């Protein structure tokens, strides 16, 4: 027999009103659609017995980037609220309209992760959605992990974008121990940038490919999240050594093809490539090579294009460069929360 779930809708996240030692599932009314029906964002709050930090995890800010949803579901199964300090606030789907359309953008074709914190008076509807989302939910976090994937037609390794020059975000990044970490000073309009500017240390976790659940990458991400929770003293356990096998890059960029046609990209994800290496060939529709795309620097492959039919100027390969040897860092001590 099917289980009937009745889920309440609330106007705002008020963690203090939720019973300790339990898992709470409800929706937050963000803004309204053209039928006058609320856009509701699903929320799972695991409220621990004891005091501690509020760790927020957001997924599907881009509606077709789904691996974060699986990570959140597995995390819920792992955590016993009776043994948790502080609260986990899990948002499996932020961009509800985009998720329903299976697309990156909001229903007005705006990228939510370029307009944060939106505008309270609106403008395009995405702006008021972004603003209510920040005010009703994100403001309540002490830390934030924002889960993404590659965009449509591309594939990613498990990589992080984080500001490594700031101790708190560098620590969050190292705790995750992904394949690759890229130094990013905060990019205007991203959720990460808004959070970091407002005292909520945040990193972006890029988990593989869009439109999929990739078990191995999800498991690795979950491992990093649990490591972070141990570091924050939310759960018991020894913090794993930080950054054991990650490439750390101080910069990354996309290499483009000049010609249009049928594109084949050769290196695999996380491969190290050298300056001058042929990384892709562009064929015409008669099978003749029109262009060999050459790496202009040595580096590591963060992501790549997998869609063969490409116009001239298409992004071919995402290259992380200037590899930094991460210093075997002492894990900074973390104070208990009051
Ligand atoms: Zn994304």
């Amino acid at each position: 027999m099917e289980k009937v779930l009745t889920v309440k809708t609330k106007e705002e996240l008020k963690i203090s009103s939720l019973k300790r030692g339990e898992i709470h599932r409800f929706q937050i009314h963000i803004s309204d659609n053209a039928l006058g029906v609320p856009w509701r964002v699903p929320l799972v709050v695991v409220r621990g017995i004891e005091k501690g930090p509020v760790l927020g995890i957001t997924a599907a800010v881009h509606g077709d980037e789904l691996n974060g949803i699986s990570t959140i579901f597995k995390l819920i199964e792992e955590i016993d609220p009776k043994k948790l300090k502080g609260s986990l606030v899990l948002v499996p789907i932020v961009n509800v309209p985009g998720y329903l359309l299976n697309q990156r953008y909001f229903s007005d074709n705006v990228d939510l992760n370029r307009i944060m914190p939106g505008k309270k008076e609106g403008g395009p509807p995405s702006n008021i959605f972004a603003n209510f989302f920040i005010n009703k939910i994100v403001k309540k976090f002490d830390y934030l992990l924002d889960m993404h994937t590659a965009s449509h037609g591309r594939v990613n390794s498990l990589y992080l974008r984080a500001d490594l020059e700031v101790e708190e975000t560098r620590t969050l990044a190292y705790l995750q121990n992904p394949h690759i970490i890229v130094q990013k000073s905060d990019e205007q309009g991203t959720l990460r940038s808004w959070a970091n500017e407002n005292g909520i240390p945040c990193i972006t976790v890029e988990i593989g490919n869009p439109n999929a659940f990739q078990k191995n990458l999800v498991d690795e991400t979950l491992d990093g999240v649990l490591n972070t929770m141990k570091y924050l003293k939310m759960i018991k356990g020894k913090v794993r050594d930080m950054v054991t096998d990650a490439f750390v890059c101080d910069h990354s960029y996309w290499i483009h093809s000049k010609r249009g046609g049928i594109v084949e990209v050769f290196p695999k994800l996380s491969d190290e490539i050298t300056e001058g290496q042929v990384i892709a060939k562009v064929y015409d529709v008669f099978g003749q090579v029109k262009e060999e795309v050459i790496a202009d620097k040595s580096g590591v492959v963060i992501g790549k294009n997998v869609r063969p039919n490409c116009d001239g100027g298409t992004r071919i390969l995402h290259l992380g460069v200037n590899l930094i040897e991460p210093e075997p860092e002492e894990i900074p001590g973390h104070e208990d929360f009051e």
Side-chain angles (χ1 to χ4, degrees):
M1 199 167 126
E2 275 181 54
K3 219 171 149 183
V4 182
L5 280 178
T6 48
V7 179
K8 280 191 181 156
T9 300
K10 303 182 184 219
E11 282 303 314
E12 193 180 341
L13 169 62
K14 281 201 188 110
I15 297 172
S16 60
S17 71
L18 302 171
K19 205 163 170 231
R20 290 181 181 277
E22 286 186 10
I23 299 179
H24 304 267
R25 293 176 164 87
F26 54 93
Q27 310 179 102
I28 299 285
H29 169 204
I30 304 291
S31 56
D32 296 339
N33 68 21
L35 285 173
V37 175
W39 288 122
R40 300 180 180 98
V41 165
L43 226 62
V44 180
V45 181
V46 187
R47 188 156 197 232
I49 297 272
E50 290 181 64
K51 282 182 183 169
V54 177
L55 173 62
I57 301 181
T58 48
V61 167
H62 293 134
D64 59 352
E65 301 184 0
L66 310 180
N67 275 323
I69 300 175
S70 182
T71 309
I72 285 176
F73 287 178
K74 290 194 171 186
L75 180 60
I76 296 167
E77 289 169 359
E78 286 280 325
I79 298 299
D80 177 354
K82 303 269 189 292
K83 292 179 182 163
L84 176 72
K85 275 190 184 179
S87 296
L88 269 178
V89 180
L90 309 168
V91 193
I93 301 157
V94 173
N95 180 0
V96 171
Y99 168 81
L100 291 173
L101 295 163
N102 191 35
Q103 69 176 27
R104 174 183 178 88
Y105 301 113
F106 197 75
S107 50
D108 58 5
N109 284 323
V110 170
D111 187 333
L112 283 177
N113 211 31
R114 297 292 180 273
I115 58 161
M116 293 293 174
K119 292 194 190 102
K120 66 173 183 300
E121 62 276 14
S126 47
N127 270 276
I128 199 165
F129 185 95
N131 194 262
F132 282 144
F133 171 66
I134 291 276
N135 282 293
K136 290 177 175 220
I137 300 175
V138 182
K139 272 192 177 167
K140 324 288 166 109
F141 300 163
D142 295 316
Y143 298 90
L144 171 58
L145 306 174
D146 186 26
M147 307 282 178
H148 287 252
T149 74
S151 13
H152 183 65
R154 302 184 199 132
V155 291
N156 266 359
S157 52
L158 175 57
Y159 90 97
L160 295 187
R161 303 154 84 91
D163 193 342
L164 301 174
E165 280 158 20
V166 176
E167 182 178 296
E168 279 194 297
T169 43
R170 183 176 63 240
T171 303
L172 287 179
Y174 283 12
L175 284 162
Q176 198 69 34
N177 193 26
H179 305 166
I180 301 167
I181 302 173
V182 182
Q183 159 63 27
K184 288 282 170 188
S185 304
D186 282 331
E187 296 140 299
Q188 205 57 39
T190 61
L191 182 54
R192 182 181 76 247
S193 132
W194 182 88
N196 282 322
E197 279 165 17
N198 287 275
I200 304 165
C202 175
I203 59 172
T204 308
V205 186
E206 301 269 357
I207 319 166
N209 312 342
N211 284 304
F213 276 2
Q214 292 168 280
K215 188 179 178 306
N216 292 351
L217 296 183
V218 166
D219 286 347
E220 285 180 50
T221 309
L222 180 64
D223 221 40
V225 172
L226 293 171
N227 202 36
T228 304
M229 291 178 69
K230 287 171 193 163
Y231 170 76
L232 296 174
K233 297 184 177 168
M234 297 177 76
I235 54 174
K236 285 214 165 76
K238 194 175 177 308
V239 178
R240 196 165 26 88
D241 283 350
M242 302 201 297
V243 180
T244 50
D245 47 14
F247 291 106
V248 183
C249 320
D250 84 349
H251 179 58
S252 77
Y253 61 96
W254 280 89
I255 299 174
H256 299 76
S257 69
K258 290 189 186 64
R259 312 292 296 271
I262 315 294
V263 176
E264 188 177 2
V265 187
F266 303 119
K268 295 195 294 295
L269 295 174
S270 301
D271 273 1
E272 277 190 88
I273 60 173
T274 48
E275 187 182 334
Q277 187 175 331
V278 176
I279 53 169
K281 284 184 178 171
V282 184
Y283 295 84
D284 66 15
V285 291
F286 306 100
Q288 305 176 100
V289 177
K290 288 169 75 181
E291 182 190 358
E292 286 189 333
V293 185
I294 310 285
D296 57 347
K297 282 188 181 172
S298 299
V300 60
V301 179
I302 298 171
K304 61 184 254 186
N305 171 64
V306 288
R307 205 192 66 196
N309 47 326
C310 291
D311 291 335
T314 296
R315 290 172 160 196
I316 294 297
L317 186 136
H318 189 190
L319 188 66
V321 295
N322 301 349
L323 300 186
I324 311 163
E325 195 60 51
E327 294 184 18
E329 180 159 352
E330 282 286 301
I331 300 169
H334 192 268
E335 296 297 316
D336 277 333
F337 261 72
E338 284 309 310

